[in-house]
Amino acid sequence: CEEGELEDGILEAYHIIREMRRICLKGNVEVTMAGRTLDAGACSDGIEFFAGDLEQIGRIRVKAGSFMTVENYTSWMRMKKKDTVFFYLGGYADRVQRTFLKMVFRDNPQLTYFHFGDMDAGGLYIHEHLCRVTGIPFQMYRMSEQELTDQRFAACLHPLTQTDRIRLESLEKQDAYRELAAYMLQQNVKLEQEIISYMEQDSR
């Protein structure tokens, strides 16, 4: 790179462009952007738009009772509830996602907010980070001892790794995660959210 030259600029000269972050929404929600309204509810599998369009958003109107972030893409694709709007998170919320979620909360403070993720140490840390960086009181959806004791999921439970145990022992000190983390440590179990979303899809 020459002085002041960015790597992305060099790559673009050779027609190699970094993939832009996307916002993925599904459900009964309208996004007013540059004076036009996008209705995600018209598309059964949801909509996606690039993060560069965030500056054009004027209003987000959620026409449902709840709003849910979903950690994994497969689960996001499967999830369908008439009174819920789904947002694909993909892991720890990045700057773009935080900005959008704060817009949603600004325009729709009356909603019930949920997060649906893996029931392992990583999934619980993602929930903790999401609540902390957005200031939104996300409740955990299908992330409880009840799912870990459900016989439908018994064959899909995994043992904890040593890293899991270290991270869960830290989470056990926080009120929001104490009981669940303690149970997971005692029973040496964790569960991926794709299993639960598969069962939910199958029961619709």
Side-chain angles (χ1 to χ4, degrees):
C1 296
E2 297 180 6
E3 187 176 351
E5 190 174 24
L6 299 177
E7 289 182 3
D8 283 1
I10 296 172
L11 292 172
E12 287 176 12
Y14 290 92
H15 309 290
I16 301 171
I17 301 173
R18 188 185 298 275
E19 183 178 2
M20 295 177 64
R21 288 292 287 158
R22 299 180 186 187
I23 297 295
C24 305
L25 280 175
K26 183 166 62 172
N28 199 1
V29 54
E30 293 178 349
V31 181
T32 301
M33 188 181 299
R36 298 183 178 184
T37 299
L38 304 176
D39 185 358
C43 304
S44 60
D45 290 325
I47 63 171
E48 297 183 0
F49 59 88
F50 289 112
D53 292 321
L54 280 181
E55 296 178 358
Q56 303 296 321
I57 293 177
R59 185 186 178 200
I60 302 165
R61 183 185 176 203
V62 176
K63 298 187 292 182
S66 58
F67 184 95
M68 185 184 299
T69 56
V70 183
E71 182 180 337
N72 297 313
Y73 191 77
T74 298
S75 294
W76 179 77
M77 287 295 295
R78 287 173 177 161
M79 296 297 286
K80 291 183 189 294
K81 284 180 178 292
K82 186 176 181 180
D83 199 40
T84 303
V85 168
F86 298 95
F87 176 89
Y88 170 55
L89 194 64
Y92 288 97
D94 62 24
R95 179 181 57 81
V96 168
Q97 293 172 320
R98 293 197 299 266
T99 298
F100 182 80
L101 290 171
K102 288 177 181 179
M103 288 179 178
V104 173
F105 189 66
R106 175 199 67 195
D107 294 343
N108 306 271
Q110 77 286 357
L111 301 179
T112 302
Y113 288 83
F114 293 100
H115 172 69
F116 180 31
D118 289 326
M119 271 196 292
D120 57 18
L124 297 182
Y125 269 104
I126 286 171
H127 174 262
E128 186 279 332
H129 177 263
L130 178 65
C131 295
R132 176 163 44 84
V133 300
T134 63
I136 301 171
F138 286 95
Q139 301 176 39
M140 290 188 290
Y141 176 80
R142 301 297 302 269
M143 298 173 68
S144 70
E145 185 178 329
Q146 182 176 342
E147 281 69 46
L148 294 173
T149 56
D150 192 318
Q151 287 304 305
R152 294 176 300 167
F153 310 140
C156 303
L157 296 173
H158 292 284
L160 302 174
T161 65
Q162 185 58 34
T163 301
D164 287 330
R165 301 194 72 85
I166 292 170
R167 301 183 77 192
L168 285 170
E169 286 168 2
S170 179
L171 286 167
E172 198 177 11
K173 300 173 184 175
Q174 300 185 40
D175 290 341
Y177 309 105
R178 179 172 293 118
E179 290 185 11
L180 180 57
Y183 181 85
M184 293 168 71
L185 285 165
Q186 291 166 6
Q187 301 299 319
N188 190 35
V189 291
K190 60 182 178 180
L191 181 64
E192 296 174 348
Q193 79 165 147
E194 286 91 343
I195 304 302
I196 298 170
S197 66
Y198 176 80
M199 293 294 186
E200 288 215 347
Q201 172 186 250
D202 196 47
S203 64
R204 283 203 304 269

